[in-house]
């Protein structure tokens, strides 16, 4: 427990030092301004897209930045001779970045809907989506050494996760995108902002099982990637 507390404190310090918190605050403030002028007819859909982009950015982009900084400072070599366990390292990263993502998402939701949303569904959507992209980001960054190389990895990992938006915005109507975890994220966001009346019980069960299962799988793959870096 002491190691976890120390790791969490260190990761929060790195988030502040690397200006990740400042960047998240600026982006959140910009999104809040955009939310104030959204048209009523597409309000919930665009709000969902904006809020989902926050844990995606924090999870994927900033995980990559943090890990690359740690690679350049030989942090992993140092960690390999300490009692810190790989799962503790990954859990600390997941917890700290998810707390930032959840805080930013709640600010955006409240700014747009006041308290007229389902808190638990929104929390589940943000937390699981954030953890998913944190661990996908870690898997991606584990294979590169520089920011330029990581910029090549970003579209390879990100484009497939955006495909469920085609169903969401009515461009397609296919079950294929249900294989992509962000489809489950969108179902939970819809339940949070519009209630579960328009969402079938089967879809809710799928979302509440498939998204956490995807997080677990991405965590396992991230753990394997971490061990290969040592």
């Amino acid at each position: 427990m002491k190691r976890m507390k120390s790791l969490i404190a260190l990761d929060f310090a790195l988030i502040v030092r690397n200006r990740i918190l400042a960047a998240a605050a600026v982006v959140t403030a910009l999104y809040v301004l955009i939310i104030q002028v959204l048209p009523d007819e597409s309000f919930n859909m665009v709000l969902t897209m904006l809020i989902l982009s926050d844990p995606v950015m924090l999870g994927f982009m900033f995980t990559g930045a943090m890990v690359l900084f740690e690679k350049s400072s030989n942090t992993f070599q140092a960690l390999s001779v300490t009692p810190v366990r790989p799962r503790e390292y990954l859990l600390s990263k997941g917890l700290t970045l998810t707390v930032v993502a959840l805080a930013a998402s709640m600010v955006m939701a409240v700014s747009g809907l006041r308290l007229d949303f389902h808190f638990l569904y929104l929390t589940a959507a943000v937390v699981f989506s954030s953890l998913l992209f944190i661990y996908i980001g870690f898997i991606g960054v584990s294979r590169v050494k520089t920011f330029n190389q990581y910029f090549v990895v970003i579209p390879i990992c990100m484009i497939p996760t955006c495909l469920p938006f085609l169903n969401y915005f009515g461009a397609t109507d296919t079950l294929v995108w249900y294989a992509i975890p962000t489809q489950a994220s969108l179902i939970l966001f819809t339940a949070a902002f519009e209630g579960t009346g328009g969402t079938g019980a089967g879809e809710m069960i799928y979302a509440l099982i498939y998204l956490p299962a995807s997080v677990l799988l991405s965590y396992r793959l991230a753990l394997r990637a971490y061990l290969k870096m040592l």
Side-chain angles (χ1 to χ4, degrees):
M1 183 61 82
K2 282 187 176 181
R3 286 197 303 268
M4 275 301 297
K5 287 181 179 178
S6 298
L7 278 173
I8 290 169
L10 176 60
D11 278 334
F12 272 121
L14 288 173
I15 286 172
V16 174
R17 186 185 311 160
N18 294 330
R19 300 182 180 179
I20 292 174
L21 187 60
V26 170
V27 171
T28 300
L30 177 61
Y31 283 178
V32 166
L33 292 175
I34 294 172
I35 289 167
Q36 304 311 309
V37 297
L38 290 179
D40 291 340
E41 61 269 17
S42 58
F43 185 87
N44 286 342
M45 297 180 73
V46 179
L47 180 63
T48 294
M49 185 176 66
L50 292 176
I51 293 182
L52 180 56
S53 71
D54 207 62
V56 169
M57 182 181 68
L58 280 166
F60 196 90
M61 302 287 290
F62 291 160
T63 295
M66 290 177 72
V67 173
L68 285 172
F69 280 128
E70 290 176 341
K71 278 186 175 184
S72 64
S73 58
N74 297 318
T75 299
F76 292 101
Q77 287 83 348
L79 286 173
S80 66
V81 295
T82 68
V84 174
R85 298 170 183 172
R87 63 180 179 84
E88 292 172 336
Y89 172 90
L90 289 173
L91 289 174
S92 177
K93 283 284 187 292
L95 177 62
T96 51
L97 286 169
T98 296
V99 166
V100 177
L102 184 60
S105 298
M106 287 297 172
V107 168
M108 285 188 278
V110 171
S111 72
L113 297 170
R114 302 300 181 260
L115 296 177
D116 189 21
F117 61 89
H118 197 295
F119 178 81
L120 290 180
Y121 283 137
L122 181 59
T123 299
V126 173
V127 168
F128 288 126
S129 300
S130 176
L131 289 172
L132 176 69
F133 283 100
I134 287 167
Y135 296 133
I136 291 176
F138 188 88
I139 295 164
V141 77
S142 69
R143 301 173 181 273
V144 302
K145 295 180 179 179
T146 67
F147 284 102
N148 287 339
Q149 292 173 339
Y150 191 55
F151 287 140
V152 176
V153 171
I154 290 172
I156 295 174
C157 294
M158 297 301 292
I159 290 174
T161 66
C162 294
L163 293 176
F165 276 104
L166 294 175
N167 272 4
Y168 188 66
F169 287 112
T172 61
D173 183 16
T174 175
L175 294 176
V176 173
W177 307 145
Y178 280 74
I180 302 172
T182 41
Q183 176 66 45
S185 299
L186 290 171
I187 290 171
L188 290 178
F189 276 112
T190 299
F193 297 145
E194 300 179 13
T196 57
T199 305
E203 283 201 325
M204 289 302 301
I205 293 171
Y206 150 81
L208 291 170
I209 293 176
Y210 192 62
L211 188 54
S214 300
V215 171
L216 181 59
L217 176 60
S218 64
Y219 166 78
R220 294 287 186 184
L221 294 174
L223 185 60
R224 185 180 301 176
Y226 179 96
L227 294 173
K228 287 182 179 180
M229 291 195 299
L230 297 180

